[in-house]
Amino acid sequence: MKSYKGRGIVLHTLKYGDSSLIVHLLTDTGGRRSYMVQGVRSTRGRGSKAALFQPMFAVEFEGLESPRMQMDRFREVRSGLVFRTLPFDVRKSTVALFMAEVLYRLVKESERNEALFDFVWGSVEALDALDEGTANFHLWFLAQLSRLLGFAPGNDYAEGDWFDVREGRYTPRPPRQPPCLTQEEARTLAQLLGCDVRALGTLSLDRRRRVEFLDAMLAYYGYHLDAMGAVQSLHVLREVF
């Protein structure tokens, strides 16, 4: 078996058998990778390891790969970040659940993407450290993630612009063909793209604007990426925010 060290963000877990898990990680070494974790759900021995594999939790690990196995294993795995608030704040945990599902649906490549990984790792750190603006964090995350996925706006925003989803550009007039972001949604997109994550609490978005903008962004993602589908965690997010 070949061993390697890396860092990862938990995107999804699946129960396997009586005591094992299949864990999907976004890693710094090889994009999205899957790991078989045996005995992790056992009430004896290593049962506490299951706590490491919550949505968007960061881990450091030594992995094992073999051409005879369909999935890699962990020789060693431990927490990669010491969280201050994320596991204990239901609002932040809900945002993390949404982020993990979006990434799990979108990231399929098993190739290293340093810029994407660094952004996601940094986003987890920022969410944990955030004091104000948690209700806007998932919107900021989607806006910023569009840059890493290659379909962020291709021009600068001007007051009163609409946003043409098909062309990926702000426009002074409504586009002839849908879909598009309204003037209010286009302004929100520009604000989020230009906003420091630590200043999210200064954005005055009420619940209606958050819901409408989130729907618009999911449609924007869905237009460019077929893998979006129906985001299962969306109803939980809407209940909390």
Side-chain angles (χ1 to χ4, degrees):
M1 286 188 178
K2 177 183 176 182
S3 67
Y4 58 95
K5 293 184 178 180
R7 296 182 297 156
I9 299 291
V10 178
L11 303 184
H12 184 70
T13 60
L14 181 67
K15 293 179 181 179
Y16 185 83
D18 293 331
S19 61
S20 299
L21 285 177
I22 297 173
V23 179
H24 301 279
L25 297 181
L26 177 66
T27 71
D28 62 343
T29 56
R32 176 172 152 178
R33 303 189 72 154
S34 301
Y35 295 83
M36 175 65 73
V37 190
Q38 295 177 311
V40 73
R41 292 166 47 227
S42 173
T43 56
R44 296 175 296 177
R46 296 181 296 165
S48 62
K49 288 283 188 182
L52 291 173
F53 303 116
Q54 303 301 311
M56 297 305 289
F57 273 32
V59 296
E60 296 178 348
F61 61 89
E62 182 177 357
L64 296 170
E65 64 177 355
S66 168
R68 296 177 298 173
M69 299 188 300
Q70 292 183 335
M71 283 178 282
D72 292 3
R73 266 61 168 177
F74 293 122
R75 172 176 283 170
E76 180 183 358
V77 60
R78 60 185 179 275
S79 177
L81 293 172
V82 178
F83 288 126
R84 179 175 62 89
T85 62
L86 181 56
F88 319 109
D89 186 326
V90 66
R91 289 158 59 88
K92 292 185 177 183
S93 297
T94 301
V95 170
L97 180 66
F98 174 77
M99 292 164 60
E101 184 180 356
V102 167
L103 290 168
Y104 177 70
R105 288 175 178 272
L106 296 183
V107 180
K108 305 295 184 182
E109 297 84 2
S110 57
E111 298 178 0
R112 183 175 182 177
N113 186 330
E114 186 175 352
L116 176 62
F117 180 83
D118 288 346
F119 166 71
V120 173
W121 185 279
S123 295
V124 174
E125 290 182 298
L127 178 60
D128 182 65
L130 201 64
D131 292 322
E132 296 181 350
T134 299
N136 297 327
F137 191 91
H138 58 294
L139 307 180
W140 175 87
F141 179 78
L142 286 178
Q144 298 292 333
L145 182 61
S146 69
R147 286 177 164 148
L148 279 299
L149 299 179
F151 54 89
N155 63 337
D156 293 331
Y157 170 80
E159 188 63 35
D161 275 352
W162 300 67
F163 183 72
D164 188 331
V165 168
R166 297 169 66 92
E167 299 296 327
R169 298 180 65 84
Y170 296 110
T171 174
R173 291 175 295 278
R176 293 182 178 181
Q177 292 182 305
C180 73
L181 272 63
T182 66
Q183 290 171 301
E184 185 175 67
E185 292 161 354
R187 181 172 63 253
T188 302
L189 176 59
Q191 289 175 331
L192 288 165
L193 285 169
C195 182
D196 187 291
V197 67
R198 294 165 294 184
L200 282 175
T202 65
L203 293 183
S204 55
L205 299 178
D206 59 24
R207 188 177 188 280
R208 176 192 63 82
R209 288 181 63 190
R210 281 195 294 270
V211 169
E212 291 178 353
F213 181 76
L214 177 57
D215 287 343
M217 285 299 289
L218 291 176
Y220 178 30
Y221 269 69
Y223 179 81
H224 290 281
L225 301 166
D226 295 334
M228 277 302 291
V231 179
Q232 299 298 315
S233 58
L234 192 57
H235 72 282
V236 181
L237 193 70
R238 285 174 172 162
E239 286 182 4
V240 174
F241 298 110

